């Protein structure tokens, strides 16, 4: 048996842990390995439909499984083919050079311009982002997007990445977070796998650099210096930079003046909270994605009782849809009130992160150090994921804060875990019952 076949056989159980049995049987069992090139495994599937699911929807799970098995081979490239020979005949070595050096975080294929609901509060930033995606390096450089938590900044960044990769696949697009940039820089200085020269090459040889949460550059003088030189190098080459932050450059504490002036030298775009019409439109779109037909009056009611955080709003809709399926009841205003009762403000104020962590530990009979640690045993991973999901659902906290509370994980990991558990809840009845039991225990505390 070839090494790539052994690798794929080893990865399969890891993938199976993180997706539904139906998805695994329908799609993953159709995947075949063909080779390993650079830092990526070459895969092939028998149809275009399966390709779209594997390369799009299942990319985060497959990459995560690869990384858990082999730190060197952490990405993959998929082709539609009926045999290994046909697959390898399609391989372009340049594709793997780009895969090897991108060094960024996965981009959610669902976050596109088409799936972004445009309203009066965000039409300006939508137009600016679309202009950047159509003419990277020429339109607005840098584009600096700022606004509160949950208003769609990450969606816009990923929409830019997805748009460029589809229209200009030869461009090297790198999406990451300020935290990831910081960690990689520190690793390069501490004689890790990435040297300082490799780190600089990774970030200064891209065509489009997209960085989330640059407010975390605050008070980090050494990181600011490295970022400044990276920024200058890319701008001098007319490479596109897009940054997001929860505040404007002038409000970022202890930020070097030379960085502040460069951030302000492009286009500043302030994302405003959505108005009621936009909130209803977002809920309608999300309900359609979940294949639910919900009366406009009910959607309006959810929109009116929610706050300005789009993520929180969608979370409430997800709770309502889940309650409807669990109890086999139509979605009415009464059901909305019942399913969201547990999110009442007095409960939120009383609940603490440690309460959720401790309750999950008691329920699954694991220790707090196992929940917050890095062990990848199934008996620890599942409670950890449930814990992250419950904190995001039951507490109004920034994703970065949740990541810090959960052992120093980045906000991208929190997003991925929250979304993965949400998907599992649609088909995994046992998990649904367990999470509801833990919620009930917490709400009665």
């Amino acid at each position: 048996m070839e090494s790539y076949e052994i690798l794929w056989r080893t990865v399969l159980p890891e993938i199976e842990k993180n997706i539904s049995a139906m998805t695994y049987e329908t799609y993953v069992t159709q995947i075949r390995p063909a080779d390993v090139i650079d830092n990526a495994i070459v895969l092939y599937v028998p149809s275009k439909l399966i390709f779209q699911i594997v390369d799009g929807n299942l990319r985060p799970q497959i990459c995560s499984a690869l990384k858990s098995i082999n730190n060197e081979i952490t990405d993959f490239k998929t082709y539609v083919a009926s045999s290994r020979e046909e697959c390898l005949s399609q391989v372009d070595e340049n594709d793997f050079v780009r895969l090897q050096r991108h060094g960024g975080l996965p981009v959610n294929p669902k976050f596109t311009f088409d799936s972004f609901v445009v309203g009066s509060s965000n039409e300006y930033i939508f137009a600016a982002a679309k202009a950047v995606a159509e003419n990277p390096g020429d339109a607005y450089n840098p584009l600096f997007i700022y606004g509160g938590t949950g208003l769609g900044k990450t969606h816009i960044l990923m929409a830019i990445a997805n748009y460029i990769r589809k229209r200009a696949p030869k461009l090297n697009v790198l999406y990451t977070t300020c935290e990831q940039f910081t960690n990689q820089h520190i690793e390069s200085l501490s004689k890790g796998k990435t040297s300082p020269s490799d780190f600089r090459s990774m970030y200064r040889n891209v065509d489009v650099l997209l960085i989330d949460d640059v407010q975390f550059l605050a008070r980090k003088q050494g990181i600011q210096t490295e970022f400044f030189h990276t920024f200058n190098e890319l701008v001098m080459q007319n490479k596109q930079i897009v940054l997001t932050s929860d505040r404007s450059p002038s409000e970022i504490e202890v930020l070097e003046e030379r960085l502040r002036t460069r951030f302000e030298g492009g286009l500043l775009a302030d994302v405003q909270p959505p108005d009621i019409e936009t909130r209803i439109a977002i809920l309608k779109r999300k309900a359609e994605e979940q294949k639910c037909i919900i009366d406009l009056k009910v959607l309006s009611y959810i929109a009116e009782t929610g706050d300005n955080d789009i993520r929180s709003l969608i979370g409430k809709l997800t709770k309502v849809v889940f309650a409807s399926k669990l109890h086999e009841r139509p979605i009415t205003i009464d059901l909305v009130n019942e399913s969201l009762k547990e999110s009442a403000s007095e409960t939120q104020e009383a609940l603490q992160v440690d309460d959720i962590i401790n309750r999950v530990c008691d329920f699954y009979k694991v220790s707090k150090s196992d929940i917050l640690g890095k062990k990848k045993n199934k008996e620890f991973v599942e409670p950890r994921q449930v814990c992250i999901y419950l904190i995001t659902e039951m507490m109004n906290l920034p994703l970065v804060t949740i990541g810090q509370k959960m052992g120093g994980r980045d906000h991208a990991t929190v997003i991925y875990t929250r979304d993965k558990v949400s998907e599992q809840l649609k088909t995994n009845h046992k998990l649904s019952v367990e999470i509801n039991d833990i919620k009930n225990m917490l709400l009665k505390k």
Side-chain angles (χ1 to χ4, degrees), residues 19-269:
I19 61 176
S20 68
M22 182 180 295
T23 300
Y24 184 86
E25 288 299 321
T26 306
Y27 301 109
V28 177
T29 57
Q30 304 293 316
I31 304 171
R32 297 290 181 270
D35 205 345
V36 170
I37 301 177
D38 292 333
N39 289 66
I41 186 169
V42 182
L43 306 173
Y44 64 98
V45 294
S47 72
K48 198 167 185 178
L49 172 61
I50 297 175
F51 169 83
Q52 291 170 345
I53 297 297
V54 170
D55 204 61
N57 298 8
L58 297 179
R59 174 164 286 278
Q61 292 92 329
I62 295 174
C63 285
S64 176
L66 283 166
K67 189 173 182 179
S68 69
I69 296 299
N70 189 315
N71 286 329
E72 299 299 324
I73 301 167
T74 58
D75 212 332
F76 68 95
K77 182 74 175 173
T78 317
Y79 298 88
V80 178
S82 58
S83 67
R84 178 173 182 260
E85 291 70 24
E86 183 184 352
C87 168
L88 294 177
S89 70
Q90 302 177 51
V91 170
D92 179 353
E93 297 287 338
N94 291 326
D95 290 339
F96 293 89
V97 173
R98 286 193 292 275
L99 284 174
Q100 182 181 11
R101 75 183 186 189
H102 67 57
L105 295 171
V107 173
N108 190 331
K110 295 181 180 178
F111 285 0
T112 65
F113 287 122
D114 289 338
S115 65
F116 189 84
V117 178
V118 183
S120 59
S121 62
N122 58 26
E123 57 185 358
Y124 176 78
I125 179 55
F126 180 85
K130 194 71 178 291
V132 162
E134 290 176 343
N135 296 289
D138 294 331
Y140 311 108
N141 203 15
L143 173 60
F144 192 102
I145 305 167
Y146 67 97
T149 300
L151 298 183
K153 300 187 298 296
T154 298
H155 188 141
I156 279 289
L157 273 191
M158 292 189 175
I160 293 171
N162 283 318
Y163 189 90
I164 294 173
R165 285 175 175 175
K166 184 176 181 180
R167 289 194 39 159
K170 291 186 178 181
L171 292 183
N172 188 4
V173 180
L174 190 155
Y175 162 76
T176 192
T177 64
C178 185
E179 182 178 15
Q180 175 87 343
F181 180 91
T182 299
N183 291 340
Q184 289 174 333
H185 177 56
I186 293 171
E187 181 186 348
S188 73
L189 297 177
S190 59
K191 297 182 180 179
K193 291 184 178 180
T194 304
S195 69
S197 61
D198 289 339
F199 171 83
R200 291 178 184 130
S201 175
M202 176 169 51
Y203 279 100
R204 299 182 193 184
N205 289 292
V206 298
D207 298 298
V208 181
L209 178 62
L210 312 166
I211 298 191
D212 232 340
D213 294 325
V214 295
Q215 72 270 10
F216 291 108
L217 286 173
R219 303 181 184 278
K220 298 184 176 74
Q221 300 300 321
I223 302 299
Q224 288 186 27
T225 299
E226 183 65 35
F227 193 87
F228 171 80
H229 292 302
T230 298
F231 185 101
N232 271 0
E233 183 74 22
L234 292 176
V235 170
M236 287 174 60
Q237 298 178 53
N238 291 322
K239 306 301 185 182
Q240 182 66 52
I241 300 173
V242 185
L243 311 170
T244 73
S245 171
D246 65 0
R247 66 205 77 170
S248 68
S250 61
E251 296 172 323
I252 299 177
E253 298 177 354
V254 196
L255 182 66
E256 289 185 16
E257 190 60 27
R258 59 181 181 173
L259 267 181
R260 194 188 313 278
T261 57
R262 278 160 177 75
F263 289 169
E264 294 175 343
L267 179 67
L268 297 182

